[in-house]
Amino acid sequence: MNSTFDLVVDSYEEAVVKNIVIVLLGVIINSINGMLVVTFLANPIFSKDSRYILYIHLVINDMIMIFVSVTLYVMSYVSRLLNFPFCCILLILATTTFMISPLNLAGMAVERFIAVCKPLHHYQICTPQRTYIFIFCLWCTGVIPSLADFSILLSTQPTSFQRTVVYCYPPIVFPTKLHKDRLTYSQIIYMSLVWLIVIYTYCNVMLTAKKASSGNSANKARNTILLHGVQLLLCMLSYFTPVLDFILISLFPVHRSKINFLTYLLTNIMPRLLSPLIYGVRDQKFVKKMKEHFICKFCFLKIAP
């Protein structure tokens, strides 16, 4: 996960505007995602389909990521120094949810691949129980990088460091070359694996769609996997935040703080809004149930008085 923590002090007005924008967007995104979660929970039919289970897990994961990211952003202005244990919890959640998003998308692509290319075995392979086991494995895999960072930190720093207050910003908390190497290698391995899975599944679904005499379902699945690729690109935008910051700050050094804010907004916040909506709004079944649920709730509240 990338953060916009910057030691450059903004003016009071600029800091207030930035924090209002970030908090407002965070509330909007989590409110929309909350509606999706409520729709899922209110309709048991979705909990029996691995596709929707993986989708709603992606939504919940992004909600946690947004909450932690916005919290870190606001606290970087309110109180830059945090207790080390509290900072550890926030950074572990931020890093883990950041790593899980692309892995979850890879799982969704594999599920669609099985549904199209091996339809007779789909309901045997992609059961709800196996899907929940897969999600548990995602969290175990996603937490490994952050645990590795803290293991390196604890082995290289004195015990007294754990009782200090720190700037809760990854490059400052994890400053060693080992941390930088871990970050580089883990990102390369994770993203290479995810892209290989998405490309493999997409190519196979394309071939199946061409061979199918009635290709409506195959074409829908092909388009869905293509959307997974778009979502993956959105997730990857945050990997390019340091590059964008370096290029833009080199060109406009006076506006360093504004550039950090804009790149954070475009590469970390906005993809979390677009990513779930790309998949959720396109699914007519899910949208129909969501409309029915919230329209009924609204009518009930209106009539009840």
Side-chain angles (χ1 to χ4, degrees), residues 223-241:
N223 294 334
T224 300
I225 292 181
L226 181 60
L227 287 177
H228 292 163
V230 174
Q231 288 176 282
L232 190 57
L233 285 173
L234 290 173
C235 289
M236 286 187 65
L237 283 176
S238 50
Y239 286 102
F240 296 103
T241 303

Side-chain angles (χ1 to χ4, degrees), residues 20-293:
I20 289 175
V21 171
I22 293 299
V23 171
L24 185 60
L25 283 173
V27 170
I28 291 172
I29 293 170
N30 276 359
S31 297
I32 294 172
N33 287 347
M35 291 172 64
L36 299 174
V37 174
V38 170
T39 302
F40 175 85
L41 296 175
N43 294 274
I45 188 174
F46 293 131
S47 62
K48 298 176 183 178
D49 192 326
S50 58
R51 175 163 61 116
Y52 292 107
I53 294 173
L54 287 172
Y55 166 64
I56 213 65
H57 175 254
L58 177 67
V59 171
I60 293 172
N61 182 78
D62 283 348
M63 289 177 70
I64 298 172
M65 186 191 302
I66 284 291
F67 175 77
V68 175
S69 179
V70 171
T71 300
L72 283 171
Y73 188 90
V74 173
M75 293 189 74
S76 70
Y77 283 89
V78 177
S79 177
R80 292 190 171 187
L81 291 172
L82 298 179
N83 289 328
F84 180 75
F86 182 54
C87 178
C88 285
I89 294 172
L90 291 177
L91 290 183
I92 287 175
L93 278 174
T95 304
T96 302
T97 51
F98 177 73
M99 300 301 291
I100 284 175
S101 285
L103 295 174
N104 197 104
L105 288 170
M108 293 167 72
V110 171
E111 187 275 332
R112 286 295 84 197
F113 161 75
I114 296 172
V116 174
C117 300
K118 304 197 180 284
L120 298 178
H121 302 286
H122 178 256
Y123 287 104
Q124 296 175 349
I125 298 173
C126 300
T127 63
Q129 292 78 11
R130 290 183 177 180
T131 306
Y132 288 120
I133 292 172
F134 173 73
I135 290 172
F136 174 75
C137 293
L138 285 186
W139 280 88
C140 291
T141 305
V143 79
I144 290 174
S146 54
L147 292 180
D149 280 336
F150 283 103
S151 297
I152 295 171
L153 184 68
L154 294 176
S155 64
T156 56
Q157 297 291 339
T159 309
S160 58
F161 180 77
Q162 302 172 33
R163 296 186 293 272
T164 61
V165 290
V166 294
Y167 287 103
C168 201
Y169 179 57
I172 295 178
V173 178
F174 311 121
T176 67
K177 185 178 182 298
L178 285 174
H179 288 110
K180 294 177 183 177
D181 291 341
R182 196 286 306 160
L183 178 64
T184 302
Y185 293 139
S186 63
Q187 288 184 349
I188 291 174
I189 293 171
Y190 275 61
M191 296 313 300
S192 298
L193 176 63
V194 171
W195 273 113
L196 284 173
I197 291 172
V198 172
I199 292 171
Y200 175 80
T201 53
Y202 180 72
C203 291
N204 277 276
V205 170
M206 283 280 290
L207 292 173
T208 303
K210 289 181 179 179
K211 293 178 182 178
S213 55
S214 178
N216 288 333
S217 59
N219 287 334
K220 288 181 181 179
R222 179 194 61 191
N223 294 334
T224 300
I225 292 181
L226 181 60
L227 287 177
H228 292 163
V230 174
Q231 288 176 282
L232 190 57
L233 285 173
L234 290 173
C235 289
M236 286 187 65
L237 283 176
S238 50
Y239 286 102
F240 296 103
T241 303
V243 178
L244 289 174
D245 284 340
F246 176 77
I247 294 173
L248 294 175
I249 290 172
S250 298
L251 295 173
F252 309 102
V254 179
H255 302 290
R256 179 183 178 186
S257 179
K258 294 183 177 66
I259 290 170
N260 284 332
F261 171 73
L262 289 174
T263 53
Y264 170 72
L265 195 66
L266 294 175
T267 62
N268 284 271
I269 298 295
M270 295 311 295
R272 306 281 91 78
L273 171 63
L274 297 175
S275 182
L277 290 180
I278 285 175
Y279 191 85
V281 173
R282 181 177 172 272
D283 192 298
Q284 296 301 318
K285 182 179 177 182
F286 199 90
V287 171
K288 180 182 177 182
K289 292 294 184 182
M290 184 166 64
K291 287 180 179 177
E292 289 176 357
H293 178 77

